[in-house]
Amino acid sequence: MESVAAITRESLYNEVWAEPVSRVAPRYGISGVALGKVCRKHKIPLSPRGYWAKINAGHSPKKIPLPIAREFENYSLPLSRSRTYDPNNPDASRKKATTAKERIGFVDVPELLESQHPLIRKASKRLRQKAGWGNYKGLRSAPGEIFAFEVTRDAIDRALLIGDTLIKALESQGMKVWVDREKSSTLIGLDETSLTIAISEHVARSKHEITVAEKKAIERWQRSPNRWGTGYHYPRPPNYDYHPTGKLTISIAGYPSRSWGDTLKNPLEQRLHQVVAGTLDLIAEHRIRAEEQERRRLAWQTEKDRYDRQVELRKQELEQLKELKVSATQWLEAERLRQYIDAVEQAAVRNGELNEELKDWISWARIKADCMDPLIAVSDAILDGPEPKSPEYCY
């Protein structure tokens, strides 16, 4: 992926004057309209109407030169190459860069929850249980049991309606949605790629104001003579109060991730087509990222195998060299012994002292020298035998 720093005014200017904006935009994962806004904001001129028709007709119309903009000197544009752009299939990439409504169509949210999806039916039953909710913010969730909702009681109906519509829209695009008990999360899957999904409510926080009842409880504790006794704890009020806002957010994946939330102008009900389109793009991006990571892992494994072979080869060479040195030392030692034995025998002959006892010793010594020589396959019954064991003392 090309870094953001590599995208300059000059490089983008050269691109949009070499090809139409509609062909350049998919390289950055945005629409032609969005790329046009980037160009105008950074004072990059665009080709006028009819420019590319003249080019196709064989004419050479003049290009508008790139104006000097000192405020953008040494400046990197807020763009980066799209991971999902495929130069071998630019038509597919251009399709991804079009608006979500054009790609998916508007996802209409019904007024009532009818023909519920099995995941939503189970979530509805679980979230409406009165007991078993200990979240200090008032949020209800059961990760690993049901679809990953985290909402307050008053937001349950709307969250279920949005979740039901979204799941059906995702499945209409070939995706699967299921709850993974082991991972305690809800997953979206397409082919070999799966991402997490969750719908949560924002809960506002405010400083807690001590109530009259809490103030009286503190005063009773202060007046009590046994306030430090066992089982009589200081009535500690909370530091904050939490308030439901009804504002929902849909979150997809970990990293890279996307989220869509309620805004003043556009509630989530009007943005589900964006969620579906963004999910498809995220799945494609995660797939490309996974393939790149696998390629890097295989390259690393190849290098590691090569390194391990070199280490093992070096280890074997060192062991063989060590054995060579030991054998050479033993051979030299055996040769020295033979020279000494020959010298003893020659001296005894000169002095007339070569008796039977000395002859026996000379024979024994030459056998020991042969046993030390690595070039002679002779074994010594005593020295090459097992180490004698000391008998255990019996009481």
Side-chain angles (χ1 to χ4, degrees):
M1 177 175 171
E2 188 173 344
S3 63
V4 175
I7 311 302
T8 63
R9 288 181 70 239
E10 291 75 11
S11 64
L12 186 58
Y13 169 80
N14 291 331
E15 285 190 81
V16 296
W17 281 91
E19 292 182 281
V21 170
S22 60
R23 290 186 177 274
V24 177
R27 299 171 191 167
Y28 300 99
I30 59 178
S31 65
V33 174
L35 184 60
K37 291 181 179 179
V38 173
C39 291
R40 286 188 289 273
K41 180 179 179 181
H42 296 90
K43 298 181 180 179
I44 300 173
L46 296 173
S47 57
R49 186 184 299 274
Y51 178 85
W52 297 107
K54 294 178 181 178
I55 293 290
N56 293 332
H59 300 292
S60 300
K62 292 184 179 180
K63 294 198 312 183
I64 302 175
L66 179 66
I68 297 175
R70 300 194 181 281
E71 65 269 31
F72 297 122
E73 287 183 0
N74 301 321
Y75 179 81
S76 298
L77 299 183
L79 293 173
S80 60
R81 297 290 188 186
S82 171
R83 282 183 172 272
T84 58
Y85 176 74
D86 183 2
N88 298 319
N89 191 5
D91 290 335
S93 299
R94 279 197 297 277
K95 184 178 179 181
K96 291 180 180 179
T98 59
T99 64
K101 191 177 293 187
E102 291 174 332
R103 292 170 55 191
I104 305 300
F106 186 77
V107 179
D108 188 30
V109 180
E111 294 183 1
L112 298 176
L113 188 60
E114 299 177 350
S115 62
Q116 301 176 24
H117 190 279
L119 291 177
I120 297 302
R121 188 182 303 112
K122 186 175 181 180
S124 176
K125 183 178 180 180
R126 181 71 171 86
L127 292 175
R128 297 183 194 280
Q129 292 180 2
K130 294 182 179 180
W133 307 107
N135 187 287
Y136 65 96
K137 294 183 180 180
L139 293 167
R140 297 184 175 189
S141 65
E145 297 181 34
I146 60 172
F147 185 95
F149 288 108
E150 190 177 35
V151 295
T152 60
R153 182 183 59 185
D154 294 339
I156 291 176
D157 289 340
R158 179 171 175 246
L160 291 172
L161 187 58
I162 291 175
D164 185 75
T165 306
L166 177 59
I167 291 174
K168 293 173 181 176
L170 292 171
E171 289 183 342
S172 70
Q173 296 294 322
M175 289 174 271
K176 296 181 180 179
V177 184
W178 73 96
V179 176
D180 190 315
R181 290 184 173 273
E182 293 183 359
K183 296 181 179 179
S184 295
S185 59
T186 304
L187 301 177
I188 308 171
L190 182 63
D191 299 328
E192 300 294 327
T193 305
S194 61
L195 307 176
T196 59
I197 181 173
I199 298 178
S200 59
E201 178 185 0
H202 172 67
V203 177
R205 188 180 76 171
S206 64
K207 189 71 176 178
H208 177 74
E209 299 291 340
I210 296 179
T211 64
V212 175
E214 290 169 343
K215 185 176 180 180
K216 289 182 178 180
I218 293 173
E219 291 174 350
R220 283 197 304 270
W221 180 86
Q222 291 173 339
R223 292 194 302 268
S224 174
N226 298 322
R227 60 181 179 273
W228 302 109
T230 303
Y232 198 34
H233 302 292
Y234 176 76
R236 192 180 302 278
N239 294 324
Y240 299 98
D241 292 324
Y242 295 90
H243 316 281
T245 64
K247 294 182 178 180
L248 301 181
T249 298
I250 299 173
S251 304
I252 306 291
Y255 176 81
S257 64
R258 288 285 304 276
S259 63
W260 298 261
D262 286 317
T263 65
L264 293 176
K265 293 184 178 181
N266 295 305
L268 272 178
E269 286 83 349
Q270 299 178 12
R271 304 184 65 191
L272 293 188
H273 59 286
Q274 298 175 0
V275 178
V276 176
T279 302
L280 287 170
D281 291 344
L282 267 179
I283 287 177
E285 186 169 350
H286 275 259
R287 175 180 56 78
I288 293 172
R289 183 183 291 271
E291 290 173 354
E292 176 65 16
Q293 289 178 343
E294 178 63 12
R295 184 192 65 78
R296 292 180 180 178
R297 188 194 68 80
L298 291 175
W300 173 84
Q301 187 64 51
T302 300
E303 287 298 310
K304 185 177 183 301
D305 292 342
R306 182 187 62 81
Y307 169 78
D308 291 342
R309 286 195 299 270
Q310 291 179 341
V311 170
E312 182 63 26
L313 180 61
R314 181 179 177 83
K315 179 181 177 182
Q316 293 176 0
E317 287 289 306
L318 290 174
E319 290 177 352
Q320 292 178 0
L321 180 59
K322 182 179 179 181
E323 292 176 0
L324 176 61
K325 291 179 179 180
V326 170
S327 297
T329 301
Q330 292 175 342
W331 178 78
L332 287 174
E333 185 67 21
E335 287 297 308
R336 262 198 317 270
L337 287 178
R338 293 189 183 101
Q339 292 175 9
Y340 174 72
I341 296 168
D342 291 342
V344 170
E345 184 180 23
Q346 293 171 6
V349 171
R350 285 196 306 269
N351 298 328
E353 298 175 352
L354 187 60
N355 52 36
E356 292 300 324
E357 183 179 357
L358 184 56
K359 289 180 180 180
D360 292 340
W361 179 89
I362 291 173
S363 298
W364 170 86
R366 283 177 174 156
I367 291 173
K368 298 304 176 185
D370 290 344
C371 290
M372 293 183 62
D373 194 333
L375 301 180
I376 299 177
V378 177
S379 177
D380 188 282
I382 298 176
L383 297 181
D384 294 336
E387 185 78 18
K389 294 183 178 181
S390 174
E392 296 182 359
Y393 183 78
C394 296
Y395 293 92

